[in-house]
């Protein structure tokens, strides 16, 4: 067996520097006024490039994302701070007036995952009978059950499904790759959709009036309070973002383990996850601050600072994408793509029926497939003030994730005539 080649860069300070250079290059070139740059970025929006280019560092073995801690730092430190700053700058009453379409599309996405798994398994049993026919711990359906956990909730739900359905380590590792690649491909499609949201809305005959109104109000508020930020303003913004992040970590470090040890019924809902409490407390802190004078820091750039943190997170997520994994488990990836196709088809059908705009499709989907680490990214791509919608839906995903994933696993188990115990 050929030994793996060590990555060219292993120092995370260098990795972060490379990611920063890529982000800077994208924003610099996207600001150029020549025709070639404008045409290029009209087709490939900057956010998509910020997501895709870091994956080349993985592809060419410049960085090993499994060894790098940049994603952990961005998701645990910068993401909560971004949520505080973006939510603090939001008009929550106006956000809540967006209506029920956000929840409808979220639960449509959940149902798409629940029924998509069994549909994909059925099709795969025809296309790849030898692969699907494997029994025991490495049965395909057991690996798929773990993906259902992470596609409706997140990593904590995935780990719960791994333990509950007794998936073998080999099939579990293979389906982790499927989860990351298929979800990231869909993320790239959604980011392209953001750049073409108006055309998609016209195709779906969707009413995006409420979203446009919220975005316009946020932009008006920012313009009315705009000022050249002083050093004091920036220090206060950083103090609020990172200070509330520290508070969120304190609560998360207490609540997660306490619920896991004392309230197993709540643990079944994934509420023993420290990451869940981290996201929840950061969001609650931002909401509380949005009703105070802190919201006026929007004019000094609080949303822009929060957006910087989000873009760093996007780069670290892109770094984890390994396109070559597709060729190592081709059948699994085909099953995953079929599964995702069911999810997307159902979303588009319901969106057409209720005239839901692209924003609700994208955020409703990513609040399931990606959770709190991705939903705010997609929401803020429409406008930073819309990030709270992604966060709130992702919190719902954590709560329903374990039970919806268990339902998916049970249906697939029944299809295969298996039992929970391998």
């Amino acid at each position: 067996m050929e030994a793996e080649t060590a990555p060219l860069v292993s120092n995370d300070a260098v990795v972060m520097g490379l990611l920063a250079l890529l982000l800077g290059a994208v924003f610099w070139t996207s600001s150029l006024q020549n025709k070639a740059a404008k045409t290029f970025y009209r087709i490939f929006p900057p956010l998509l490039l910020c997501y895709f280019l870091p994956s080349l560092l993985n592809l060419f073995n410049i960085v090993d994302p499994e060894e790098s801690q940049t994603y952990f730092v961005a998701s645990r430190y910068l993401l909560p701070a971004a949520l505080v700053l973006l939510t603090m700058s939001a008009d929550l009453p106006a956000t809540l007036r967006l209506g029920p379409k956000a929840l409808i599309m979220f639960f449509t996405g959940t149902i798409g995952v629940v029924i998509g798994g069994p549909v994909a398994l059925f099709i795969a049993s025809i296309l790849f009978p030898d692969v699907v026919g494997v029994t025991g711990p490495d049965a395909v359906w057991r690996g798929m059950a773990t993906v259902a956990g992470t596609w409706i909730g997140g990593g904590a739900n995935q780990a719960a499904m791994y333990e509950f359905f007794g998936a073998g380590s080999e099939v579990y590792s293979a389906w982790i790759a499927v989860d990351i690649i298929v979800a990231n491909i869909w993320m790239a499609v959604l980011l392209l959709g953001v750049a073409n949201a108006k055309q998609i809305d016209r195709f779906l005959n969707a009413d995006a009036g409420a979203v446009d109104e919220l975005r316009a109000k946020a932009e008006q508020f920012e313009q009315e309070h705009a000022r050249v930020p002083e050093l004091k303003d920036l220090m206060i913004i950083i103090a609020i973002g990172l200070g509330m992040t520290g508070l969120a970590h304190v609560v998360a470090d207490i609540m997660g383990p306490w619920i896991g040890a004392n309230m197993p019924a709540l643990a079944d809902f994934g509420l023993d996850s420290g990451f869940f409490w981290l996201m929840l407390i950061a969001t609650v802190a931002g909401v509380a601050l949005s009703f105070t004078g802190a919201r006026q820091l929007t004019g000094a750039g609080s949303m822009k600072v929060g957006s910087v943190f989000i873009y760093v997170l996007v780069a670290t997520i892109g770094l984890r994408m390994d396109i070559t994994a597709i060729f190592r488990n081709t059948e699994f990836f085909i099953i995953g793509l079929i599964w995702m196709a069911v999810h997307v088809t159902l979303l588009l059908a319901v969106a057409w029926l209720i005239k839901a705009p692209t924003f609700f499709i994208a955020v409703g989907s990513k609040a399931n497939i990606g959770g709190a680490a991705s939903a705010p990214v997609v929401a803020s791509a429409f406008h930073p003030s819309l990030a709270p919608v992604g966060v709130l839906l992702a919190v719902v995903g954590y709560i329903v994730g374990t039970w919806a994933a268990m339902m998916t696993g049970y249906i697939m188990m029944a299809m295969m005539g298996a039992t929970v115990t391998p």
Side-chain angles (χ1 to χ4, degrees), residues 45-64:
L47 183 57
L48 178 62
L49 270 292
C50 294
Y51 179 72
F52 172 73
L53 291 180
S55 71
L56 300 180
L57 301 178
N58 183 2
L59 178 64
F60 294 109
N61 200 34
I62 297 173
V63 176
D64 182 355

Side-chain angles (χ1 to χ4, degrees), residues 142-194:
R142 297 184 195 275
M144 292 176 70
T146 69
V147 174
T150 191
W151 280 4
I152 317 171
N157 306 75
Q158 183 179 34
M161 295 305 100
Y162 169 67
E163 295 292 340
F164 186 82
F165 287 107
S169 58
E170 186 174 338
V171 76
Y172 181 53
S173 299
W175 279 97
I176 285 177
V178 173
D179 161 33
I180 293 172
I181 297 299
V182 174
N184 284 356
I185 290 172
W186 176 229
M187 177 85 156
V189 172
L190 286 175
L191 295 178
L192 278 172
V194 172

Side-chain angles (χ1 to χ4, degrees), residues 5-315:
T5 306
L8 182 64
V9 175
S10 57
N11 185 328
D12 271 342
V14 180
V15 175
M16 190 60 78
L18 290 173
L19 295 179
L21 287 171
L22 286 175
L23 292 174
V26 169
F27 275 86
W28 175 65
T29 53
S30 66
S31 68
L32 296 177
Q33 296 303 307
N34 65 69
K35 185 177 179 181
K38 288 184 176 181
T39 302
F40 179 82
Y41 281 105
R42 191 178 301 118
I43 301 171
F44 304 103
L47 183 57
L48 178 62
L49 270 292
C50 294
Y51 179 72
F52 172 73
L53 291 180
S55 71
L56 300 180
L57 301 178
N58 183 2
L59 178 64
F60 294 109
N61 200 34
I62 297 173
V63 176
D64 182 355
E66 297 298 322
E67 295 297 325
S68 173
Q69 294 297 304
T70 51
Y71 173 74
F72 180 86
V73 171
S75 62
R76 267 58 177 184
Y77 305 147
L78 299 186
L79 175 58
L83 295 182
V84 171
L85 296 176
L86 295 177
T87 308
M88 176 183 79
S89 305
D91 183 347
L92 187 64
T95 301
L96 295 177
R97 286 196 296 272
L98 286 174
K101 289 183 180 180
L103 278 175
I104 292 172
M105 295 311 299
F106 168 79
F107 283 111
T108 298
T110 302
I111 294 168
V113 174
V114 172
I115 66 175
V119 169
L121 184 65
F122 173 75
I123 295 174
S125 68
I126 299 172
L127 298 176
F128 317 115
D130 294 339
V131 174
V132 175
V134 173
T135 58
D138 287 324
V140 168
W141 73 267
R142 297 184 195 275
M144 292 176 70
T146 69
V147 174
T150 191
W151 280 4
I152 317 171
N157 306 75
Q158 183 179 34
M161 295 305 100
Y162 169 67
E163 295 292 340
F164 186 82
F165 287 107
S169 58
E170 186 174 338
V171 76
Y172 181 53
S173 299
W175 279 97
I176 285 177
V178 173
D179 161 33
I180 293 172
I181 297 299
V182 174
N184 284 356
I185 290 172
W186 176 229
M187 177 85 156
V189 172
L190 286 175
L191 295 178
L192 278 172
V194 172
N196 299 280
K198 291 188 182 299
Q199 296 92 315
I200 297 172
D201 288 342
R202 281 197 297 270
F203 175 76
L204 295 172
N205 195 27
D207 179 13
V211 177
D212 292 339
E213 182 183 349
L214 179 58
R215 180 165 44 201
K217 285 186 66 177
E219 291 172 351
Q220 181 182 355
F221 182 88
E222 185 175 10
Q223 290 171 2
E224 288 175 352
H225 294 83
R227 63 181 188 272
V228 177
E230 300 177 7
L231 177 60
K232 174 193 69 176
D233 296 319
L234 295 174
M235 290 303 295
I236 292 173
I237 290 169
I238 293 296
I240 291 173
L242 296 183
M244 291 299 102
T245 297
L247 175 63
H249 273 277
V250 170
V251 176
D253 289 344
I254 294 171
M255 291 300 297
W258 185 84
I259 288 177
N262 299 286
M263 305 187 75
L266 292 181
D268 288 341
F269 285 96
L271 300 188
D272 59 338
S273 166
F275 190 66
F276 165 81
W277 287 101
L278 185 59
M279 298 298 101
L280 181 63
I281 299 305
T283 304
V284 170
V287 167
L289 288 167
S290 72
F291 291 98
T292 71
R295 186 173 175 232
Q296 295 188 9
L297 286 169
T298 301
S302 60
M303 278 204 298
K304 292 183 175 64
V305 174
S307 297
V308 168
F309 292 163
I310 287 289
Y311 272 93
V312 174
L313 173 67
V314 167

